[in-house]
Amino acid sequence: MDVERYNMGFTTGGLLLRESVRVGALFRDLGDWDAVRAQVLQDNLLQTRKASSAKRLAREVVFRLRQLGREELDLLDSAGVQDQVSLVWIAICRRFAFIADFMAEVVRERYLALRNDLAYPDFDAFLEAKSGQHLELAEISPSTKAKLRQILFRMLREAHLLSNDNQILTPTLSPELATLLLAKRAAEARYFPIAERDLRSLAK
């Protein structure tokens, strides 16, 4: 059986929270992603210096936000910063299955086993283990692997899921977001280092 290739193109920016919130608000007004992207580029909404950077950044932010449903986009617009961070993280995990699997199989499992430290070798071991099924991973150069690792750890810190000294952090989810997550896609609790019972206790 063919295994779907991992999309490893997550080196554009980091969490991109500010950019995601701005673009999400624009979608609320326009209701069309193509129109949103055009408006973002026309107004330089992401405040980049080069047109090529603007196109690349706008493309990535739109791709991520398209992973969210309407209720989630509405919450992104109205929520506090922590829920906005968590919603953007959900979008990232939906877009990049490699990150979703790393969260489920490494970060969350370490957290549940009370091993709260996370280090670069954990990333390296996971990538190596997945290379057997995902042959595209074996083609990644050492320099690209180092950049992917650096960006992923940076995003984890920006998502408030990893401390500066590489300790795994439990997310702070509002009752509204916890309820929405459990109601729509309960399996996606694996994107966070949190036990399902704890997530349910947060829900309304």
Side-chain angles (χ1 to χ4, degrees), residues 17-64:
L17 175 64
R18 177 182 61 85
E19 295 85 351
S20 297
V21 172
R22 285 186 176 181
V23 174
L26 188 59
F27 178 77
R28 181 197 60 190
D29 296 335
L30 300 180
D32 178 84
W33 287 116
D34 290 336
V36 166
R37 187 184 298 182
Q39 191 72 45
V40 166
L41 295 176
Q42 178 180 314
D43 296 345
N44 192 22
L45 190 65
L46 303 183
Q47 299 178 348
T48 58
R49 294 181 179 179
K50 296 181 179 179
S52 58
S53 298
K55 288 180 180 179
R56 184 170 62 253
L57 203 58
R59 178 178 181 273
E60 179 57 33
V61 171
V62 167
F63 267 130
R64 291 182 184 183

Side-chain angles (χ1 to χ4, degrees), residues 137-199:
L137 298 181
E139 301 170 0
I140 295 176
S141 69
S143 60
T144 299
K145 182 175 77 171
K147 184 174 183 180
L148 290 168
R149 185 177 57 200
Q150 179 186 26
I151 293 293
L152 179 52
F153 273 64
R154 172 185 163 188
M155 286 196 290
L156 283 166
R157 293 190 182 98
E158 291 175 343
H160 308 157
L161 299 175
L162 190 68
S163 69
N164 288 333
D165 60 348
N166 291 339
Q167 295 296 302
I168 298 168
L169 302 174
T170 306
T172 304
L173 306 177
S174 71
E176 186 175 5
L177 179 54
T179 300
L180 183 61
L181 184 59
L182 288 169
K184 297 295 183 181
R185 304 191 191 189
E188 293 186 350
R190 69 195 188 105
Y191 298 163
F192 297 97
I194 188 171
E196 186 174 341
R197 65 178 180 276
D198 293 332
L199 182 62

Side-chain angles (χ1 to χ4, degrees), residues 67-157:
Q67 309 302 314
L68 300 178
R70 193 61 195 239
E71 285 182 89
E72 293 165 328
L73 286 167
D74 288 343
L75 185 57
L76 179 67
D77 185 54
S78 63
V81 172
Q82 184 55 53
D83 271 4
Q84 289 177 332
V85 166
S86 297
L87 283 162
V88 171
W89 183 249
I90 289 169
I92 287 171
C93 289
R94 289 177 185 169
R95 173 152 165 72
F96 299 106
F98 178 88
I99 295 178
D101 289 345
F102 181 73
M103 289 303 298
E105 299 174 29
V106 179
V107 179
R108 187 167 184 266
E109 286 302 310
R110 291 185 70 83
Y111 172 80
L112 294 177
L114 303 180
R115 294 182 294 151
N116 290 338
D117 59 306
L118 186 72
Y120 278 1
D122 297 312
F123 174 94
D124 296 341
F126 177 74
L127 189 145
E128 180 66 27
K130 290 295 184 181
S131 296
Q133 280 188 309
H134 293 268
L135 301 183
E136 68 275 12
L137 298 181
E139 301 170 0
I140 295 176
S141 69
S143 60
T144 299
K145 182 175 77 171
K147 184 174 183 180
L148 290 168
R149 185 177 57 200
Q150 179 186 26
I151 293 293
L152 179 52
F153 273 64
R154 172 185 163 188
M155 286 196 290
L156 283 166
R157 293 190 182 98

